[in-house]
Amino acid sequence: MIVEIGHYALTLALGLSVVQCVLPFWGARVRDPALMAVAAPAALGAFAAIAIAFAALTCAYIVSDFSVVNVVENSHSMKPFLYKISGVWGNHEGSMLLWVCILTLFGGVVALTRNSLPERLKALTLSVQASVTIAFLLFILFTSNPFARAVPAPFEGRDLNPLLQDVGLAVHPPLLYLGYVGFSISFAFAIAALIDGRIDAVWARAVRPWTLTAWVFLTLGISMGSYWAYYELGWGGWWFWDPVENASFMPWLAGTALIHSTVVMEKRDALKVWTILLAILTFSLSLIGTFLVRSGVLTSVHAFATDPERGTFILIILMIFIGGSLALFAWRAPMLRQGGIFAPISREGALVLNNLLLSTACATVFIGTLYPLALEGLTGGKISVGPPYFEMTFLPIAMPLIAIMPLGQTLAWKRGNLLGAAQRLMAAFALALALALVVLAVTRGGPVLALLGVGLGFFALFGSLSEIVTRSWSRGMPLSTAWRRARGLPRSAWGTAIAHAGIGVTVLGIAATAWGVESLAVVKPGETISAGHYALRLDGVTPYTAPTYRANVARFSVFRGGVPTGTLEAEKRLYTPRGMATTEAGLMTRGLGQLYVGLGEEDPTGGIGVRLYWKPFVLLIWIGTLVTAFGGGLSLTDRQLRIGAPARAKARRAQPGDGQADALATS
């Protein structure tokens, strides 16, 4: 009965989404407040219906209802409770249901915003968002029904893909979808602005919190996915430029450009057309990522579906929304009034350069990801585009981008002084150079790009923090006064500095991987394998049996300079329901570095293949991403992003009859 309720709730959500799409749109066209007011309750109703459907599917997983095909194929009665829950979205049908649930969640939150948006803009935004919901609900109901029944119902399920039975994969997809889907609100705002023919600072102030929220979640999702691939897949890497990895990275790059572009638009009323285009492209890249994962065109541990029918349906959705939005942009964008003027040497100019570099970097990833697929589709030929291509094209763009980041943050708005900004960054540059030389001396050399990365990472870190110091302290000022002024700075200033510093920390971690050490050997019990300053002795291999898998656990004693420092375990597992083998890497953290052990196949002589890595400072990669996400979250708490109060305050201060007052009063 619960399953039927979930299926009915999906159908009800489709009907409510149609109402949410059609009536507010028509109300905005004829300026009927009653019809526009339908948007909010319809959006909340659609979210409630899909939440019920998602809860029904979750309940089926918890009770192991094997009369549901989705549960049969992705669960097992003996599976741990956490993985029963994560199994809900660890498959194509369930993940699409989560996708739409988050989509309507964002729409519901927009619906709850009172007196902070012009009613016409709000109605059009929710109408556009509902059109996306309709498309994906039709996709779910016609090609990916998560409530399909299994007749007859089997006694036991096939279990979830063993690679997905991990805490990281319980968290990674929801975070990623909150990022992907969050950009749909930015897209909806952009399309609403094009339809309405009005885009101004009020629009920029409205769209920036949603963009920043989506970006923060996408940052966390990518970070979690990277760390999962690092410790779960057994190859010891943190990024492989896999097409599905790139599918999440491209909207992150475009979203980063969009955040900076909305800042320019809000502050200087400039880059209007470019900001609208970025909002469209960012969500379009999210849709392309959805297509890559679910169309069957890719073979990847990240990919869900291999059914061409589903791929065709999603391709039609892409054509409608990407093609339609770009056509609307081409028609309406020339009618938008251009904004303010600024000098090339200014903070706006630096942000424009930032946008150009980010867009170019995104384009290189896009070409490297889709070109092999396009070539195969057109000619049947197959080529592989791997890390060498991306390292040769992406890195030359990323390095100057990181270098100008502190400089742009230091320049003044409208017209800046390049020499003065450079002088304010001299201390940060000198400190970064000194530390890079220390690294050079300690490591007795190293790859040139790695040393350059170390210098850039330190410069980004210290340069970002120098902005806070510059704004809070001047020569001769007591530290107590400086601290008081620093505490009084807007949270957005702190958030920006922290987010940029986090990028610098991540760059340091990436550069440090060049000094990693790898050893590969066949080791028997009692023998040792070394990497860097560490030596591991294999103490033995013992079998272990769990409800859904059998494992051989290799136990190692760890020594540094002959002194015992602990033990480490790595496993080879065989999941019996699927007959699938996996490797569970062994990790030992020492400071900011890690020892990493991956097991290979057993040797006929009784030895076992062991791959040992020593990765100094590798944890900085993920620490930096967390710091960056924290900076973005801190910016979200700033009063400047609470769009209702400032608008109403300005409206109260404006004189009656003033054009600006009339525009702001509607907000």
Side-chain angles (χ1 to χ4, degrees), residues 156-200:
E156 190 56 86
R158 295 184 59 215
D159 202 9
L160 180 65
N161 184 336
L163 289 174
L164 306 182
Q165 294 189 37
D166 182 83
V167 175
L169 260 291
V171 178
H172 166 61
L175 290 174
L176 206 61
Y177 292 170
L178 283 166
Y180 271 163
V181 180
F183 286 125
S184 70
I185 300 299
S186 304
F187 170 82
F189 270 110
I191 299 301
L194 288 174
I195 293 172
D196 196 28
R198 172 181 172 179
I199 176 171
D200 50 21

Side-chain angles (χ1 to χ4, degrees), residues 234-606:
W235 58 283
W238 61 277
W239 194 263
F240 193 64
W241 297 103
D242 179 279
V244 181
E245 291 176 336
N246 295 346
S248 62
F249 190 44
M250 289 186 290
W252 186 88
L253 291 169
T256 305
L258 176 59
I259 290 171
H260 292 87
S261 182
T262 55
V263 172
V264 176
M265 185 177 163
E266 183 182 344
K267 297 287 187 183
R268 304 299 309 157
D269 196 32
L271 302 184
K272 294 182 177 182
V273 175
W274 174 244
T275 304
I276 290 285
L277 180 60
L278 275 178
I280 294 172
L281 292 179
T282 301
F283 184 59
S284 298
L285 289 170
S286 297
L287 290 177
I288 289 172
T290 302
F291 170 73
L292 290 176
V293 175
R294 292 171 174 81
S295 62
V297 300
L298 295 178
T299 301
S300 168
V301 296
H302 306 81
F304 283 120
T306 58
D307 185 354
E309 180 185 354
R310 293 170 174 172
T312 302
F313 202 117
I314 296 180
L315 187 59
I316 293 172
I317 293 176
L318 260 67
M319 292 171 62
I320 292 173
F321 285 100
I322 299 178
S325 60
L326 291 177
L328 178 63
F329 174 81
W331 175 42
R332 298 286 285 177
M335 305 177 189
L336 297 176
R337 182 178 62 84
Q338 296 301 313
I341 300 174
F342 52 85
I345 304 300
S346 62
R347 184 169 296 194
E348 297 95 327
L351 290 172
V352 169
L353 180 58
N354 159 284
N355 269 223
L356 291 175
L357 290 173
L358 282 169
S359 301
T360 306
C362 184
T364 63
V365 178
F366 182 85
I367 292 170
T369 303
L370 294 187
Y371 175 72
L373 302 177
L375 182 66
E376 183 178 356
L378 293 174
T379 67
K382 292 187 176 182
I383 64 169
S384 176
V385 176
Y389 162 81
F390 293 102
E391 290 168 1
M392 292 178 63
T393 57
F394 183 82
L395 289 182
I397 301 170
M399 286 184 172
L401 178 63
I402 296 166
I404 67 168
M405 189 169 64
L407 186 63
Q409 190 177 344
T410 308
L411 287 170
W413 291 102
K414 196 172 182 179
R415 183 179 299 276
N417 185 337
L418 184 61
L419 180 59
Q423 289 175 341
R424 288 192 292 272
L425 288 171
M426 281 304 297
F429 178 78
L431 189 55
L433 180 61
L435 289 174
L437 292 175
V438 169
V439 172
L440 175 65
V442 170
T443 59
R444 298 193 179 106
V448 174
L449 283 179
L451 289 168
L452 180 59
V454 168
L456 284 174
F458 279 125
F459 180 59
L461 173 61
F462 298 132
S464 299
L465 298 179
S466 72
E467 172 69 4
I468 298 295
V469 174
T470 301
R471 295 178 63 175
S472 307
W473 177 82
S474 57
R475 187 171 299 177
M477 178 183 292
L479 291 179
S480 59
T481 304
W483 173 242
R484 198 161 49 249
R485 291 180 62 181
R487 290 178 59 187
L489 290 176
R491 291 181 185 176
S492 59
W494 277 100
T496 300
I498 291 172
H500 288 175
I503 295 292
V505 172
T506 296
V507 170
L508 288 173
I510 294 171
T513 59
W515 288 281
V517 181
E518 176 186 358
S519 295
L520 180 64
V522 175
V523 183
K524 297 179 181 179
E527 296 181 344
T528 62
I529 180 174
S530 300
H533 300 291
Y534 293 91
L536 272 66
R537 184 187 67 208
L538 177 60
D539 296 330
V541 180
T542 57
Y544 173 78
T545 302
T548 58
Y549 67 86
R550 299 193 304 269
N552 287 326
V553 182
R555 184 181 179 88
F556 297 87
S557 294
V558 182
F559 300 87
R560 179 183 171 93
V563 179
T565 61
T567 59
L568 185 151
E569 292 183 350
E571 300 180 26
K572 291 281 287 186
R573 293 180 179 178
L574 176 64
Y575 283 80
T576 50
R578 286 182 177 258
M580 183 174 175
T582 66
T583 298
E584 298 294 318
L587 293 174
M588 176 180 284
T589 301
R590 287 291 177 264
L592 294 172
Q594 283 189 328
L595 281 168
Y596 182 107
V597 175
L599 299 182
E601 300 300 324
E602 292 189 13
D603 187 85
T605 63

Side-chain angles (χ1 to χ4, degrees), residues 5 47 114 117 138-139 148 162 185 197 215 227 242 248 259 264 296 350 373 421 433 445 486 536 662:
I5 292 175
F47 167 66
R114 297 181 181 273
L117 290 173
L138 289 172
F139 173 72
I185 300 299
W215 181 85
Y227 192 62
D242 179 279
S248 62
I259 290 171
V264 176
L373 302 177
L433 180 61
L536 272 66
D662 294 338

Side-chain angles (χ1 to χ4, degrees), residues 176-237:
L176 206 61
Y177 292 170
L178 283 166
Y180 271 163
V181 180
F183 286 125
S184 70
I185 300 299
S186 304
F187 170 82
F189 270 110
I191 299 301
L194 288 174
I195 293 172
D196 196 28
R198 172 181 172 179
I199 176 171
D200 50 21
V202 173
W203 182 91
R205 187 181 289 274
V207 77
R208 191 151 70 99
W210 299 103
T211 304
L212 190 54
T213 299
W215 181 85
V216 167
F217 281 117
L218 188 57
T219 301
L220 292 173
I222 293 174
S223 176
M224 187 71 257
S226 169
Y227 192 62
W228 168 80
Y230 165 72
Y231 71 77
E232 178 66 22
L233 299 184
W235 58 283

